[in-house]
Amino acid sequence: AAAETDMQNATSVYAEVLAKSSYSEAKNSLQEANQLFENKQYYEAHVKAGDAGRKARDARDASLGRKSILSESIEDVNITIAKAKQYHAEQHAPEKLRLAEENSRLAANSMNSLQLKEGFAAVEVAKVNADDAYIMSLKGTSRVTLDEARTLVAQAENSAGASVAATDLAMARESLKSSEALLLESKYRESISAAEDSKRLAPTVL
């Protein structure tokens, strides 16, 4: 029973992945111990169970030593979440953002309570949703910025300053065209930058 508890403790800290070799040895030893017990070789079973427990404890310790991997994964996800928010994820990807933040918190809480298996599962869900939120927010922001640039260029074209500031207007149009092309290529950050240039240039014509 003690060996089985040790195995459960090792499993809870994701030892089957983070300390694969030790965990596998412990599992094999426990199976052998159970087999010996069934064959009524009680002393040999007791010795083998002790061996299994020792290996399971080693696997747990080795797994805990790799807790930093989970910590770094959570940190990476939180950076992606922050980047998504810079591009208005609350507006463009609210559900993805909510899932990313919830699972990032769950991963951190699981890590702090040494439930590493739950932590790794949660951070994986958080990562998928944070990545999606970031892309959706980039795409949404690039479209909004492009629409704003189109409006300003149209105003500039119909203004009294169109003939006076022809160079600025031509540059604003060029940036707008570039932004549209970049959006079609899914180069969202570059599209936003070009649209911002167009938005900056167009009002100088007015």
Side-chain angles (χ1 to χ4, degrees):
E4 280 166 2
T5 300
D6 288 329
M7 280 299 293
Q8 285 168 4
N9 291 338
T11 303
S12 74
V13 295
Y14 212 24
E16 68 265 38
V17 171
L18 298 177
K20 203 169 185 177
S21 176
S22 303
Y23 184 85
S24 182
E25 286 176 17
K27 194 175 175 182
N28 290 339
S29 290
L30 186 59
Q31 284 171 347
E32 286 173 34
N34 288 335
Q35 191 62 55
L36 287 163
F37 189 83
E38 283 172 24
N39 294 341
K40 297 187 170 52
Q41 293 171 265
Y42 301 121
Y43 177 73
E44 290 87 346
H46 173 73
V47 171
K48 187 54 79 172
D51 182 49
R54 209 163 32 252
K55 285 172 178 169
R57 290 192 296 277
D58 287 346
R60 182 179 185 274
D61 291 344
S63 192
L64 287 173
R66 303 188 71 191
K67 191 170 81 163
S68 61
I69 295 170
L70 177 55
S71 178
E72 285 163 14
S73 298
I74 294 169
E75 201 174 311
D76 287 345
V77 164
N78 288 338
I79 288 168
T80 304
I81 289 170
K83 286 197 302 191
K85 283 181 167 181
Q86 284 174 357
Y87 291 102
H88 317 293
E90 295 92 338
Q91 180 187 339
H92 299 296
E95 186 60 17
K96 297 284 186 184
L97 179 64
R98 184 185 67 76
L99 286 168
E101 289 183 323
E102 271 181 17
N103 281 281
S104 176
R105 282 193 296 273
L106 177 59
N109 291 339
S110 297
M111 180 181 72
N112 293 335
S113 59
L114 302 182
Q115 297 298 311
L116 300 193
K117 187 169 187 174
E118 285 177 17
F120 274 99
V123 84
E124 193 52 45
V125 175
K127 183 185 186 315
V128 169
N129 283 285
D131 288 346
D132 285 351
Y134 178 52
I135 294 298
M136 288 165 72
S137 302
L138 266 179
K139 190 188 289 189
T141 298
S142 63
R143 283 180 177 150
V144 168
T145 313
L146 185 54
D147 284 343
E148 290 168 350
R150 281 193 189 114
T151 301
L152 285 170
V153 169
Q155 287 172 357
E157 286 172 338
N158 295 317
S159 74
S163 55
V164 181
T167 305
D168 282 351
L169 181 56
M171 286 167 66
R173 279 179 182 147
E174 189 54 43
S175 291
L176 181 62
K177 216 164 108 182
S178 175
S179 177
E180 288 169 339
L182 288 162
L183 179 60
L184 288 173
E185 292 173 25
S186 301
K187 294 180 177 174
Y188 304 120
R189 279 192 302 271
E190 295 88 338
S191 175
I192 291 166
S193 180
E196 290 288 1
D197 281 345
S198 183
K199 281 173 65 179
R200 181 175 51 77
L201 288 161
T204 64
V205 179
L206 298 170

